[in-house]
Amino acid sequence: MTKFSGTFSVATAVFLLAAMAACGSDSDADPAPEPTASASSPSSAPPSSAGSPEHSAATAAEVAVGDYYALTDLLLQDDAVSLDRLEEVAISTQLSAQKNFLTTERAAGTQQRGDTKIVETKVQSVNLDNSDPKAGRVPSVTIDVCWDVSEVDVVDASGKSMVPADRPDRGWTRLTVANYTWDTDPDTGWRVAGGEDLEKTPCAG
């Protein structure tokens, strides 16, 4: 699993605090964003000045992350909400993997209770290269997210909790948020395209 082509599942983190192994298999999915050549290059450096295009992109991507967590929570809580709504918050391999995962969980009667909280976000890089969208060369923002699932339970079809007693309540996930409609929608076209769980100390309260 790589930072840009791998996928992770908020739901799996809620269940097992583990990265989701399944990858998107939709051949029609948009290609995953390409990684930047160097984390220290100007195009991929964290935004430093308010009002700059990089700062605006980072802010918009952070909003998209919040929307992503909120909607994936809702889709696990309410089977009546259409999985097609995932397209509002995810794209590329992340969209395919989440649809497959949620379809399986719904068929099994699994349901989430409670909401995931975002405790902290850290923008790691911003790349506004939009030179070849068909090949996945689109603007992208890499964001580390510390989430808290202390108020989240997951139950099976009989209503029995599936959450292990020793599940850590917090963890970090690194998300790639991409904008495949940058030319026409630079502000709200951001979607989560991939991610991976990080092995690092959970953030403080």
Side-chain angles (χ1 to χ4, degrees), residues 29-47:
D30 292 298
E34 289 190 353
T36 55
S38 169
S40 62
S41 64
S43 63
S44 63

Side-chain angles (χ1 to χ4, degrees), residues 47-52 55-56:
S48 57
S49 58
S52 68
H55 184 272
S56 297

Side-chain angles (χ1 to χ4, degrees), residues 24 32 55-56 82-83 101 117 122 136 151 159 177 187 198-199:
H55 184 272
S56 297
S82 173
L83 294 183
F101 177 77
K117 293 181 180 179
K122 294 183 177 179
E151 297 183 8
V177 188
D187 297 323
L198 301 177
E199 295 182 4

Side-chain angles (χ1 to χ4, degrees), residues 2-92:
T2 66
K3 178 168 62 178
F4 290 90
S5 62
T7 59
F8 95 106
S9 168
V10 175
T12 304
V14 171
F15 295 0
L16 306 172
L17 195 66
M20 182 175 170
C23 291
S25 58
D26 187 351
S27 60
D28 295 326
D30 292 298
E34 289 190 353
T36 55
S38 169
S40 62
S41 64
S43 63
S44 63
S48 57
S49 58
S52 68
E54 290 79 10
H55 184 272
S56 297
T59 300
E62 287 183 294
V63 171
V65 166
D67 292 343
Y68 175 84
Y69 276 81
L71 183 55
T72 50
D73 276 352
L74 177 61
L75 291 170
L76 281 163
Q77 295 163 350
D78 188 352
D79 290 355
V81 180
S82 173
L83 294 183
D84 289 341
R85 289 198 59 192
L86 274 171
E87 295 179 7
E88 299 173 16
V89 297
I91 200 168
S92 189

